Amino acid sequence: MATPVSATSSNTAATAATTASVQSKDDSTLSPAARAKANLNASIVQASLTVSLNSSNDPLSVVLKTALTGINEALKGDFGDNAIQNAVSQDNTPEGTAGRIVSLSTAFYDAFKQQHPGEDESEVLNNFINTLKKGVDQGFKEARDVLQGLKVLNGDIASNIDKTYDLVQKGYADFLTAHQPKTEETAQAAT
């Protein structure tokens, strides 16, 4: 078994050589996207070379950095620069998160109705909400499993997840009530 080696001074020269090699290439013919990709690759190599081989968490910072860069690049056209960092500033309270889940998922109701022409409107609405609830149940279960695996599903995190789930269920109940087809009886009761 190889002895863990700290990649500090021994990799400093390699990092400098890699950086110089990447920088010495003529990048004037590269598109901005290709140049950004080359710079990203160089920073990944640099980060990789400076990671201590006996550390279990530092490699994940490389994964995080590359994932965030890729996501930001993919979302750039729709959401501008630094979409992920900008999203972090959104309301991540149980109320804010539940509100986004409910509003984004219920926005599909009209499309769902169009896929079920001629069916009873009450039944279509109930099937839609039941479909959403099934998806939410699965999503929350998977999120809890991941957080449990990371050993962070406790205290405020667990209670905030439960509160968010309850608020989503209430949001769906409110949506169901608001979109329930009006019958003659309910129309007369409303007047």
Side-chain angles (χ1 to χ4, degrees), residues 12-43:
T12 304
T15 302
T18 302
T19 304
S21 171
V22 169
Q23 290 175 344
S24 69
K25 301 232 185 240
D26 179 20
D27 64 356
S28 62
T29 60
L30 294 177
S31 70
R35 188 174 305 126
K37 182 83 168 170
N39 288 337
L40 172 64
N41 289 340
S43 68

Side-chain angles (χ1 to χ4, degrees), residues 70-81 83-84:
I71 293 168
N72 276 331
E73 189 63 33
L75 296 175
K76 188 175 189 174
D78 294 324
F79 300 101
D81 291 334
I84 296 295

Side-chain angles (χ1 to χ4, degrees), residues 93-96 98-99 102 162-172:
T93 63
E95 294 81 5
V102 170
D162 292 341
K163 184 175 182 180
T164 302
Y165 180 84
D166 292 342
L167 289 168
V168 168
Q169 298 304 314
K170 182 185 179 320
Y172 286 157

Side-chain angles (χ1 to χ4, degrees), residues 169-182:
Q169 298 304 314
K170 182 185 179 320
Y172 286 157
D174 292 346
F175 183 87
L176 188 62
T177 300
H179 289 82
Q180 202 61 260
K182 305 267 188 275

